[in-house]
Amino acid sequence: MNRSLSTSRRLAGWGAVLCAATLTMTACTNSSSEDDASGASGNSAVSDNDESGDTVTIGFSAPAADHGWMSAITKAAQTEADKYDDVELKVAEGTNDVSLQISQVEQFINEGVDAIVLLPFDGAALTPVALKAMEAGIEVVNVDREFSSPFAARTTVLGDNYGMGVSAGTYVCEQADGDTDAVVGEIAGIDSLPLTKERSQGFEDALGDCGLDVDNRVAADFTVEGGERSASNLLQAAPELDFLWNHDDDQGVGVLAAIQNAGRDEFVMVGGAGSKNVMDLIKSGDSVVKATVVYPSTQAADGVRLARLVTQDKALSDLVEVEVPRQIKLSAPTVTADNVDDYLPSAFES
């Protein structure tokens, strides 16, 4: 089994670069001889990361694919692994049972995999078993929902929840164009989750910069049924709206149903996550939905690539740093009719 990094070396890398930009990993490279190969100008990076290396066995575990985004996460991870003849991906059945997910990780440990890409149903609950894997010399890549200990993962891939709110709020401010009397609604996800709080805080902060605030807010549960129910309640409480931000495009299917049932079309709606369904509506121009903010469903695919790089002792070509960063936070761009064609290829189906 390939064990390229010892525990001591792994812990010594806590000071590695924090990359807080969109991860583009199409040109990753082994940094050992890059300076000599690229020349003094640094204009032509040479990459050998896609060349076959030692076989890497990666265990993958995520929650149940009970909505479009989560389904896309798992499919993207498998698709990415299939691109490499030196990657063997073992995919555990998706589950929302914390105890079962813990047992899946324990099984990976017992099998002696080289790395584990783990999107935990509950980050805190999965932290102890992730620590156990790291202590066993297995590289853990944490995806989307953070562990409660920094020692539980070699690297972490995150979406930018606060940034989603900022992007949505910034778009609303731009469209309001100085109208501080605009009425703004918000349909959040599950209020008990930190990610929901971060999205709402980002939205509030961005609106504050242009003198707006959230006039009507409800929470749903990331499901179609919950989205329809919550949207119906909000529309009844708000006879007039200028803007509406829905945190999640999967629950947005229900939100749009409620809007249609209520016969409302006087406002501009902004989606969240970036589903193909919503992007198609944006492109058509025949819907209240005029924008969505992306929460990448490529996170686990990035996790697979990172697990391969870490295990094979490689780094990222666009960084001077000689090891994979400790954390990578993906951006939350706003998709509108002007740029929708750029994002449709990587969008997920709700």
Side-chain angles (χ1 to χ4, degrees), residues 144-162:
D144 185 47
R145 303 172 186 177
E146 286 187 89
F147 298 135
S148 55
S149 168
F151 299 98
R154 166 59 183 82
T155 188
T156 301
V157 184
L158 298 172
D160 189 355
N161 288 293
Y162 180 82

Side-chain angles (χ1 to χ4, degrees), residues 40-64:
S41 67
N43 290 328
S44 56
V46 176
S47 173
D48 63 359
N49 272 8
D50 285 339
E51 294 180 3
S52 294
D54 293 337
T55 298
V56 178
T57 302
I58 302 172
F60 176 73
S61 175

